Amino acid sequence: MRNAYHHIDFYPLRHPLVLFFIPFAVGIVTAYYASGIFTTAVVAAIMIVSMVGLILSQYIISKKYSDYCLYIFCGMTLMSVGALLCLQRINATQVDWPQDKGDYLIGITSPPRHSERSQRVDAKILSGKYEGKLLRLYFPDSVNISTGDEVFVHTKIDAPQNSGNPHEFDNKGYLLQQGISGTGYVWQYKKRDGTERKSSLRQWGGKVREKLTSRYSEYFEGQSLAILAAMTIGDKNELTKEVQDIFSQVGASHLLALSGLHLGILFSIFNITFLRRTRNRYFRIVLSILGIALLWTFAFIAGLPISLQRAALMFSLAQIMIIFRRDAFSINNLALSAIIILIINPLSLFDVGFQLSYASVLAILWIFPIIPCPKVVARYKVLRFFHDSLCVTFCATIGTAPLVAYYFHNFPVYGLIVNLVLVFFAYGILVGAILFFILPFATEFIAIPLNGLLKMLEATLTFFAELPGSHLKPYPTAVSVLLIYCLIFLYLFFRKKRKTLYPVATIICTFIIISESYAHRPHRLKPQIVFYNLYGGNAIHFINNEEDTYLWQQGRDATRSLSYIEKTFWEEENIKTPVQLREGYDSVKGNASILFSSLTDLPKATDSLLKEEPKSAVISFHNKRVIALTGKIARSRDSTAQVDYLYVTKGFSGDPASALEHYSPKTLVISSSLGDKYRLMWKVSAREKNVTIKDMKESGALVVHL
């Protein structure tokens, strides 16, 4: 293992493809975040100017400066190419969908993923104006659909949107990266029979994956089935949230996401079984090509995730280099694989799997060769194998830890030990899975030890997860993560050079990281009112500080939707469980006070009242008056005072003009649960009375800082 990396160093001129990758990636990032400024025509013009400047600089400018001009104009050209590809991808994905429901013929392109009451599938429109566009659709859980089915659906398609809740996951950006143009809920549908279309490779892979999972289910069940399917064929449908949390806490999530570890094990098995036993060079070439074909077949069956694309490309390039007797594992090959993936889909650069995969491999290629191997260890192959495995795990951890902390807010304390143990589990499970399928006459006998190995894996991870201090929950900012990588780069780049640049840059980066951490420290919340944008419910959060918060909610599904906010916004900001507002609640703490009363004649709060749906209510907080209107207009002494925010939700059936006349609010907040017809009526009436409008379906959640 070590001999493969002994010569690697990261001086850019020794790895020219890195010099191509950097400006190419910078162009993609610039276009993604400034897509509203740069159009395709502007970027194309910049690219033409750069190419003309590149050519002219070699004839007009003196040789002394021609090299600098070459680097500048080449960089600008590559940036323009990256930006142009990114903008084309964004423009191809974004669609102006009709405002009303429509009829579409779709083909299911992914296996259904079941949730509590629905199932999610990815689909492709097969005909009509929007042919070729990808959708993410939700069907009732009772519908029997599978990959490759063609279905007529009657539904309303919306462009992907975020809810706008604080600290939420960027679902809109994620769907854009996946090429998803629209989402919708399907209640009216009809399967199409009698027509067979040619399946794409992805659809073929999905069908094979479903068959293999069905084969597994005959001999395995529960979480053993879920872990086995995820580790060997990339099917995560059966994984529960509890099991995923255990893997995440101990730093073993990569075991469930097929990547270079899995392909490395599979290819090492192929290498030991066939390639090492073959002396004839031409026969080795044939076997290498066969191995590459098998790798990509496995990748398509597993759904072709970004991490597997990178690994398959790297191993393919490595085998090609071996055939031509060139360097197999290098940063050049890593950069080439990244460029190929980004040319196919520039938005893959923003995929978490892409970033983690390349960060880990780059760290291994760069750091592993400089870790010394003790002479005592080098004498024995077994000790050297353990030493190298531990070093590779250490390098991968250094490369991915900042990103894991930023995206998942997790740092596994026992990650090194756990990952060293997991290598042996992964070998055993993958070998067992191969034997399970290629030896059908011994399937029942192979399933017994394989099932035991899966139980041992689950027990081992549970043991480490339950140890005290098994994981930390850091919350670094994006700037801090970038600066941490800068520190790693500075150390590795200048470790052999005694220059003042390194200590000065280190001090500056460290100072900025400390400043960022202090600026974003916990217990910094100021009083605010948050109108959450929830699916299936409504909620208003009155926050005085982290310890003192109050919540009004309405709708049976509001609690389930709030559970996601609890794990993001509340947990990150250390917000305690809020007090549920009930009839007659009155609290005064310091300068903050909150008064809650219903707009109907309800009795005082009792245990039985907690089970009832909240009625229309008036809430006073920090001299701001909020009315949550869920029913008919109610006339009470509380409702006639100045209203700052009138929050209209599903259930109100009165006349909007009369309600606005009665309450005279400064701002109208329209819940996303309100139907399109009533939303339009409220907007028209509010504009006539010059009332500020906040439509949560269009602008997301509303945060009012007090």
Side-chain angles (χ1 to χ4, degrees), residues 419-439:
N419 281 283
L420 184 61
V421 174
L422 289 182
V423 171
F424 300 99
F425 277 109
Y427 261 103
I429 291 172
L430 287 172
V431 170
I434 293 172
L435 296 176
F436 180 85
F437 289 116
I438 67 174
L439 300 176

Side-chain angles (χ1 to χ4, degrees), residues 195-333:
T195 303
E196 288 290 335
R197 289 178 183 257
K198 187 177 180 180
S199 298
S200 65
L201 285 174
R202 283 181 181 269
Q203 288 178 318
W204 171 82
K207 291 179 180 179
V208 174
R209 188 161 64 251
E210 287 180 344
K211 292 179 180 179
L212 296 180
T213 303
S214 177
R215 179 67 171 160
Y216 275 146
S217 63
E218 297 176 9
Y219 297 90
F220 303 92
E221 60 182 11
Q223 291 312 304
S224 295
L225 170 62
I227 295 172
L228 180 62
M231 283 185 60
T232 57
I233 55 177
D235 188 348
K236 301 180 183 179
N237 287 337
E238 301 299 325
L239 284 174
T240 63
K241 187 68 171 61
E242 291 74 17
V243 171
Q244 293 184 46
D245 287 342
I246 290 175
F247 274 79
S248 176
Q249 289 173 14
V250 299
S253 294
H254 62 282
L255 202 64
L256 300 176
L258 295 180
S259 60
L261 171 65
H262 304 78
L263 278 192
I265 292 173
L266 293 175
F267 205 82
S268 66
I269 295 171
F270 181 82
N271 187 35
I272 293 171
T273 307
F274 298 104
L275 290 178
R276 285 191 180 181
R277 300 176 182 274
T278 305
R279 300 298 179 186
N280 187 288
R281 183 169 183 267
Y282 296 102
F283 192 46
R284 284 176 62 88
I285 292 174
V286 173
L287 286 176
S288 296
I289 295 173
L290 176 62
I292 293 172
L294 290 174
L295 281 182
W296 284 101
T297 301
F298 173 74
F300 275 103
I301 291 174
L304 210 65
I306 294 292
S307 57
L308 211 53
Q309 291 179 33
R310 191 275 311 158
L313 270 174
M314 279 290 292
F315 278 105
S316 300
L317 291 172
Q319 283 304 117
I320 293 172
M321 293 298 105
I322 290 173
I323 290 173
F324 290 100
R325 298 177 179 177
R326 298 294 181 87
D327 184 15
F329 296 96
S330 69
I331 293 176
N332 252 345
N333 287 348

Side-chain angles (χ1 to χ4, degrees), residues 552 581-586 594-598 617-620:
W552 174 90
L581 290 177
R582 303 299 178 189
E583 172 65 19
Y585 189 90
D586 189 358
I594 185 162
L595 175 64
F596 175 90
S597 61
S598 173
V618 55
I619 306 137
S620 298

Side-chain angles (χ1 to χ4, degrees), residues 617-677:
V618 55
I619 306 137
S620 298
F621 181 70
H622 275 269
N623 298 321
K624 295 292 182 182
R625 205 171 193 81
V626 179
I627 286 186
L629 198 58
T630 64
K632 296 180 180 180
I633 299 175
R635 302 182 183 277
S636 72
R637 60 184 180 182
D638 289 329
S639 64
T640 55
Q642 175 63 54
V643 176
D644 295 283
Y645 296 93
L646 178 62
Y647 182 46
V648 185
T649 68
K650 183 179 180 180
F652 177 79
S653 57
D655 177 44
S658 301
L660 291 172
E661 181 71 28
H662 176 68
Y663 295 115
S664 300
K666 293 181 180 179
T667 303
L668 172 66
V669 182
I670 305 176
S671 169
S672 58
S673 65
L674 204 64
D676 292 338
K677 177 182 176 181

